[in-house]
Amino acid sequence: MISDDLLRAQLPHTLRQVDLPALGELYRGKVRDNYTRGDRMVMITTDRISAFDHVLGTIPFKGEVLSRLTTFWFDKVKDIAPTHLLAAPDPSVMVVRQARALPVEIVIRGYITGSLWRDYQAGKAGAYGIAWPAGLRKDQRFDQPIITPSTKAEYGQHDEPISEAEILRQRLVAPEVWREAIAVAQRLFARGQEWAASRGLILVDTKYEMGISGGKLTVIDEIHTPDSSRYWVADGYAERFARGEEQEMLDKENVRQWLIKEHGFSGHGAPPALSDEVRVMLARKYIEVFERLTGETFASPIGDVGARIERNLRATGYLPA
Ligand SMILES: Nc1ncnc2c1ncn2[C@@H]1O[C@H](COP(=O)(O)OP(=O)(O)OP(=O)(O)O)[C@@H](O)[C@H]1O
Ligand SMILES: [Mg+2]
C-alpha cells in the first residue's frame, strides 16, 4: 500500500476540473467532466468527492482509482451486456459511446443498510412499492437482492425513490426495456458479489445506469466503484452483525460518517472543508478497495494529473498534437 507520505505529496496536484473545450461540449457532473462530440463522449473522472449532493473537495488519486476500477469491472462483465466503453487513453479517462440514458437509476441491494435502513425503521420505505418483511435488522442480508429504483434527477436536484409500477405507469421506461434492465442488473450484481467475495469483500449494494445506444440496452457511467457501491470487509461480518456493531466500510460511507460525526453535516447548508488528514484517510480507503478487488498494488506518479491527461489525449489523437 502506497505510503501516507506519497498521498500527502499528491495533495497539491489533485485534479479539480478539466478545461479542454477542443474535446467537445462540456457537461460537468459532480465527479466527472464529460465532453461530447457527435455520439462519442470523453469522460474524465476528476478527483472531486461529493456527498449528500455537495462537492466537498478532492482526494489524491480518486479519479484514477474510479476510472481504472470501472474498466476493470467492464471487462469482467462484458459477456452479460454491452458497455459504453470504447477506449481508455489515460488511467482517469474513458472514451464512451453516448447513450440515451434511462431516466431511472437501478439501485440493487443485497443487505438492508444506509438510507433504506433509515427509511424502513421510520416506516417510510413505501415508495419502492415493495412489501418489506417485518423485523429486519440493520445490515441484515436479504434472501434475494432487491431493486430499489430512483429517478435520475437533473443537476443539483436529489434523486427520489420510485416504484416499478410508477416507472411503468409514467412510461419512463418501456416495459420490455425495463424487464431487460432489471435482468441485466441482477446478473451484474451476482457477478460483482461473487468476485468481491473471492477477494474478501462484500458488495453490499450498488447503482447502475443504463441507456440505449445503437438500439441496444447498454451499461453506462461507472460500475461497482466505491462511489456507486457499498463494500464491507467480509471477515467478521457475521460477528459484527450479531453484536450490532458497524460494519467495516471501504466506500463513500466513510466521508458521510465523517461529515455527520465530526461536523453534524447531513446535506443542509454549506459543507465543511475537508482537512488534509481526512483527504489522506479517504485516499487510503479508495486505494485499499482498488487493491483488494484487482489484486494489484496501486502505483501512480506524484504530479499534475491534468497535465498528464492532456498529454495522453494528444498522444492518442483525441486532442490535436
Ligand atoms: N454513455 C453515456 N451516455 C450518456 N450519458 C452518460 C453516459 N455515461 C455516463 N453518463 C452521464 O454522465 C454523467 C457523469 O458525470 P458524473 O458522474 O460526475 O455525474 P453525477 O454527478 O453522478 O450526476 P449529475 O448528472 O447529477 O451531476 C452522469 O450524468 C451520467 O449519467
Ligand atoms: Mg455519477
Side-chain angles (χ1 to χ4, degrees), residues 29-32 43 105 152 207 209 221-222:
K30 287 180 287 289
V31 172
R32 274 155 265 269
M43 287 185 85
E105 299 189 339
K152 189 160 164 41
K207 174 214 70 169
E209 295 190 32
D221 205 54
E222 60 183 341

Side-chain angles (χ1 to χ4, degrees), residues 66-314:
L66 295 191
S67 199
R68 285 174 65 186
L69 270 179
T70 295
T71 56
F72 170 84
W73 277 113
F74 276 162
D75 188 57
K76 290 240 170 294
V77 302
K78 62 184 177 214
D79 59 309
I80 296 176
T83 79
H84 65 165
L85 182 66
L86 296 171
D90 175 275
S92 299
V93 180
M94 292 193 296
V95 178
V96 305
R97 239 178 260 115
Q98 165 96 347
R100 198 154 40 78
L102 307 187
V104 289
E105 299 189 339
I106 302 173
V107 179
I108 181 163
R109 305 172 185 261
Y111 297 73
I112 185 163
T113 192
S115 64
L116 177 61
W117 168 250
R118 289 190 288 275
D119 288 348
Y120 172 82
Q121 245 192 333
K124 287 193 248 164
Y128 301 109
I130 292 165
W132 301 105
L136 292 175
R137 291 175 48 209
K138 181 172 181 291
D139 301 344
Q140 186 170 341
R141 189 171 170 278
F142 292 124
D143 294 336
Q144 294 293 324
I146 292 185
I147 291 179
T148 56
S150 68
T151 58
K152 189 160 164 41
E154 296 294 315
Y155 188 87
Q157 304 294 303
H158 296 285
D159 297 347
E160 296 289 345
I162 189 169
S163 66
E164 176 176 80
E166 236 352 75
I167 290 168
L168 297 175
R169 194 188 65 76
Q170 293 181 29
R171 297 180 198 282
L172 297 177
V173 184
E176 62 282 6
V177 175
W178 178 251
R179 266 195 303 278
E180 190 184 347
I182 59 177
V184 166
Q186 272 152 351
R187 294 180 66 202
L188 293 173
F189 191 61
R191 180 74 54 84
Q193 285 203 311
E194 196 185 315
W195 180 262
S198 77
R199 313 291 314 176
L201 294 176
I202 297 174
L203 176 60
V204 177
D205 52 36
T206 197
K207 174 214 70 169
Y208 300 114
E209 295 190 32
M210 296 188 204
I212 307 291
S213 159
K216 283 199 189 126
L217 185 70
T218 304
V219 184
I220 65 171
D221 205 54
E222 60 183 341
I223 69 160
H224 299 168
T225 74
D227 268 13
S228 67
S229 323
R230 281 194 179 81
Y231 283 101
W232 293 337
V233 173
D235 194 30
Y237 161 79
E239 291 77 6
R240 289 188 295 270
F241 176 68
R243 287 192 230 108
E245 290 171 9
E246 286 291 332
Q247 291 299 322
E248 200 176 320
M249 304 170 293
L250 285 176
D251 53 63
K252 239 178 75 173
E253 194 62 24
N254 286 293
V255 71
R256 296 191 198 104
Q257 296 286 326
W258 182 83
L259 289 167
I260 295 171
K261 287 190 184 141
E262 304 288 319
H263 296 275
F265 179 81
S266 58
H268 304 288
L274 298 178
S275 65
D276 284 354
E277 192 193 354
V278 79
R279 292 169 72 202
V280 168
M281 179 276 280
L282 292 168
R284 293 185 70 83
K285 301 280 182 197
Y286 279 93
I287 292 168
E288 184 173 350
V289 103
F290 174 91
E291 292 191 339
R292 285 204 187 219
L293 287 171
T294 62
E296 284 174 50
T297 302
F298 181 85
S300 186
I302 302 301
D304 188 332
V305 177
R308 182 199 71 206
I309 289 174
E310 214 175 310
R311 230 171 20 245
N312 282 331
L313 290 175
R314 284 192 206 292

